[in-house]
Amino acid sequence: MRLKSIRFLPFIILMAVLILSGCIGPRIVRKSCSDCHQKEVLKYKEGKLHQPLADNNCEGCHIPHGLIGALKLKERDARLCYQCHEKDRARLEKTSLHTPLKQGVCLKCHNPHSSKVKGLARVQGNDLCYLCHAKEPFTKKTVHKAVTNGCDNCHNPHSSEHGNNLLDKGNKLCERCHDANASKFVNAHFRYKVAGTDCLSCHTPHSSSSDKLVREYSHAPFSQRKCDDCHNPADSKEPLKTKLTADKLCYSCHTSLENGFKKLHVHSPVLKGNCTACHNPHVSDQKNELLTAEKPLCYGCHKDVEKRHAKKFIHTAIAKGNCSGCHDPHASDNKDMLKAVGAELCYLCHKKDDFAKPVVHAPVAQNNCLSCHDAHASDNAFELVSPTGELCYSCHGREKKKFDKVTKHPKVKAGECTACHNPHSSEFNKLLLVKEEDLCFKCHSNLLREIEGVGEHPVFKQGKCLRCHDAHASNNTRQLLEEGAGLCYSCHKDTKVGLQIAKYPHKPMVEEKCMACHRPHGSKIKGLLPRPLKSLCLSCHSDFEKGLKEKDIVIHKPVADGDCQKCHSPHYANERGILIASGDTLCNACHANQDDAKFVKAHGNISTKGADCLGCHEPHAAKDKRLLHKVMHAPFEKEECGRCHKRP
């Protein structure tokens, strides 16, 4: 066999060479991307193609995905673009970067395949910018011609050495179109030569609700074109110089404010007479002619406060940028320039009635909101100075020790005190959110629904949960006030007394396992049982259950009906087997026909009055249809009763 294999070796080598060289066997021809993506190719050809696509070089950007379709790029984001556009990476070195460029997401603005727009832009002109920038600020009543002509008239779409990606700095950009020294320009400014001043201090660069692109809010002298109320005449040596210096000029009109600012605490710019530190004396896009929106204006000086606000939860007034909601920006008789003191400040926004219900939390009663809340920001919800549970325990230290037990209410364990208590004021004792009888059902309504209108335990139905449970913590399971039957006996005193004098207690009673037979909240079954009586009893008395399943068994009617309590007491009794009565007294409850001739004849014409029926009969089930014991005394089995008993 080995010789034959060696003989064929040259042939095998020859075949392998031919196959590998492509002379024999089918040749696999690789398809191009366009063979499968015809729809896309037709769509892309509608515009100018990106060079790799024009060269049919899809793999310049994509990794072929084989049998399973997937978009796989060689690199992510701008790194892929820079493989070809390396020179464009230099744009990153400039001072001001357009956000998409900074984030490296070129495809925010550019289509990677083709476009009908120059530069492979996704859409034409300003509409490209409006993909990210809200259109409304650029389309008000008066629109700057530069905006109409295109955003790139003033902005570089990628990067710039000037703020906001501007093509030039400040007025130099404006002067590309506007000659500040031209007579028409000077006359438009009421013959004041404003060359060299900041154009944007009066005009908005995009659009405005006012004429001449003037900003939204104007100082009265400006809007009334009374420039010389404040400035020297236009034909004077120093026309732009003000007639008076600093605050003296402002107080020449705002006379009432000068006296109003003479308070215990005065804002630093007011104290220094520097009104223009906060206000533009001509126009502004902000109310009261503020230089900027209120919050950034305040942060300009209060850098430490800005850092404090960098937290998860911020006071609503601050979030809305309304610092003056609490602080007077000019002067106040209160510390920190506050508009009011203590809770009265809070009540400027928060409805006072919510804090003035019959039961008031001590800090609220003391007008001390800041003992619980930070006035500005916090890492805790509701700007609390610390997490809820920790905060409450800072005053309620005794309760913290008291709650340090084995079983805690989940809300106590999680430190969620406000799940049950109102932290400010309440209509109910202990600052409960609702009356005590309804409080537990806020969370545990499912327990009520399960048994509603059927068989509720009275204390449960009345919402008296604290008769059995501790609302906060306990060393017992389910926060019970007491383990075992002791808790039940606090209401069911007669049951406890009866158990103490009875001869035969039911085993669960001895073990104090009331809940082995009863549901503590309620049940659809009479007696608050967790299941029908028969199956409940048989769950422990399994020996009887086996007997009842035997073949051809005869079952005593009360057993068949599942009415164990027909014969047995469920808790205790003075008769063995916790029977409710002894001898024939028990049986007579059903078989009250011992004088009946048929009954007497069935018992061999011997009276059974006063006899113990269980001496002859099985109380539950038997093979004999008369429920007789399995093992019988010979005379009894032969029905020779007369041998032992006298007949009447």
Side-chain angles (χ1 to χ4, degrees), residues 193-491:
K193 293 181 179 180
V194 294
T197 61
D198 181 11
C199 304
L200 299 187
S201 67
C202 293
H203 301 282
T204 180
H206 301 116
S207 72
S208 171
S209 301
S210 306
D211 294 332
K212 308 294 184 183
L213 290 172
V214 171
R215 293 189 180 274
E216 300 298 316
Y217 297 93
S218 299
H219 189 198
F222 182 93
S223 61
Q224 294 163 13
R225 308 296 188 257
K226 295 179 180 179
C227 305
D228 54 6
D229 276 6
C230 301
H231 296 278
N232 290 331
D235 54 2
S236 66
K237 258 189 178 182
E238 296 179 291
L240 297 181
K241 188 176 180 181
T242 54
K243 292 179 176 179
L244 294 171
T245 57
D247 56 338
K248 290 180 182 178
L249 179 63
C250 300
Y251 291 145
S252 66
C253 288
H254 302 285
T255 51
S256 61
L257 294 179
E258 185 174 11
N259 291 324
F261 294 163
K262 291 176 181 178
K263 294 184 179 179
L264 192 59
H265 300 276
V266 182
H267 195 195
S268 177
V270 177
L271 196 62
K272 294 174 182 176
N274 187 10
C275 305
T276 55
C278 299
H279 300 278
N280 187 308
H282 300 112
V283 292
S284 172
D285 283 332
Q286 312 297 326
K287 283 185 177 180
N288 302 314
E289 292 82 57
L290 293 178
L291 294 177
T292 66
E294 198 170 287
K295 188 159 73 169
L297 181 63
C298 297
Y299 286 161
C301 294
H302 301 283
K303 298 290 184 186
D304 56 327
V305 175
E306 183 177 11
K307 289 178 183 177
R308 281 174 56 197
H309 293 176
K311 293 183 179 178
K312 190 175 180 181
F313 298 94
I314 302 172
H315 190 194
T316 305
I318 296 166
K320 291 180 177 179
N322 183 22
C323 305
S324 59
C326 298
H327 302 276
D328 192 297
H330 299 109
S332 171
D333 286 324
N334 306 312
K335 187 181 176 184
D336 297 323
M337 310 286 297
L338 293 174
K339 288 185 170 181
V341 179
E344 291 304 319
L345 177 65
C346 303
Y347 297 148
L348 294 177
C349 294
H350 300 278
K351 194 176 177 183
K352 191 171 183 177
D353 290 349
D354 294 335
F355 302 84
K357 293 174 183 175
V359 183
V360 183
H361 194 196
V364 177
Q366 295 159 8
N367 287 330
N368 189 10
C369 305
L370 299 187
S371 64
C372 297
H373 300 277
D374 188 290
H376 294 109
S378 168
D379 286 324
N380 306 301
F382 306 109
E383 295 83 62
L384 294 176
V385 295
S386 56
T388 308
E390 186 182 317
L391 178 61
C392 297
Y393 290 144
S394 65
C395 290
H396 302 283
R398 274 195 312 181
E399 279 70 16
K400 185 177 183 180
K401 290 179 181 178
K402 184 180 173 183
F403 301 160
D404 188 16
K405 294 180 179 176
V406 176
T407 309
K408 291 183 182 180
H409 191 258
K411 297 298 182 184
V412 174
K413 192 173 183 179
E416 296 175 9
C417 307
T418 53
C420 299
H421 301 278
N422 189 308
H424 301 116
S425 71
S426 172
E427 300 282 353
F428 310 103
N429 194 25
K430 298 176 183 176
L431 290 168
L432 294 179
L433 296 176
V434 295
K435 62 181 180 180
E436 189 176 289
E437 291 79 3
D438 298 328
L439 183 62
C440 299
F441 296 134
K442 280 180 83 262
C443 294
H444 302 287
S445 58
N446 59 313
L447 295 176
L448 191 62
R449 284 196 302 271
E450 286 173 9
I451 54 174
E452 191 173 10
V454 182
E456 300 99 330
H457 192 186
V459 291
F460 177 75
K461 184 178 181 180
Q462 294 159 15
K464 295 179 180 177
C465 306
L466 302 188
R467 291 283 290 273
C468 300
H469 301 275
D470 189 290
H472 298 103
S474 166
N475 285 324
N476 306 312
T477 56
R478 301 182 184 90
Q479 294 147 244
L480 291 172
L481 297 176
E482 188 179 345
E483 291 279 16
L487 184 62
C488 302
Y489 293 152
S490 64
C491 290

Side-chain angles (χ1 to χ4, degrees), residues 131-151:
L131 292 177
C132 295
H133 300 279
K135 193 173 182 178
E136 190 274 331
F138 303 88
T139 55
K140 293 178 182 177
K141 176 186 170 185
T142 307
V143 180
H144 192 189
K145 190 177 179 182
V147 173
T148 307
N149 292 340
C151 303

Side-chain angles (χ1 to χ4, degrees), residues 50 78-94 96-98 100-102 104 106 110 119-120 156-160:
H50 190 197
R79 285 175 295 178
L80 179 62
C81 303
Y82 292 143
Q83 287 184 352
C84 294
H85 303 279
E86 178 60 33
K87 63 177 182 179
D88 293 320
R89 196 190 292 269
R91 290 171 172 158
L92 294 169
E93 296 171 6
K94 294 189 178 180
S96 181
L97 302 181
H98 193 198
L101 182 70
K102 189 189 293 185
C106 307
H110 300 282
L120 293 176
N156 187 297
H158 295 104
S159 63
S160 169

Side-chain angles (χ1 to χ4, degrees), residues 1-51:
M1 282 296 290
R2 190 174 179 185
L3 287 171
K4 284 182 180 180
S5 299
I6 293 170
R7 192 185 308 159
F8 283 104
L9 188 59
F11 175 74
I12 293 168
I13 292 170
L14 177 62
M15 291 295 290
V17 170
L18 290 171
I19 290 169
L20 291 171
S21 65
C23 296
I24 295 177
R27 187 168 185 174
I28 299 172
V29 179
R30 188 176 181 185
K31 288 184 175 183
S32 69
C33 299
S34 59
D35 289 333
C36 292
H37 299 285
Q38 281 296 316
K39 274 186 183 179
E40 286 76 7
V41 170
L42 291 171
K43 180 182 174 183
Y44 298 152
K45 283 184 177 178
E46 291 176 2
K48 183 182 177 182
L49 297 179
H50 190 197
Q51 196 57 48

Side-chain angles (χ1 to χ4, degrees), residues 40 43-45 47-54 58 61-62 71 73 107 110-115 120 122:
E40 286 76 7
K43 180 182 174 183
Y44 298 152
K45 283 184 177 178
K48 183 182 177 182
L49 297 179
H50 190 197
Q51 196 57 48
L53 186 60
C58 302
C61 300
H62 296 277
L71 176 63
L73 296 171
L107 302 190
H110 300 282
N111 191 305
H113 297 108
S114 71
S115 173
L120 293 176
R122 288 194 172 274

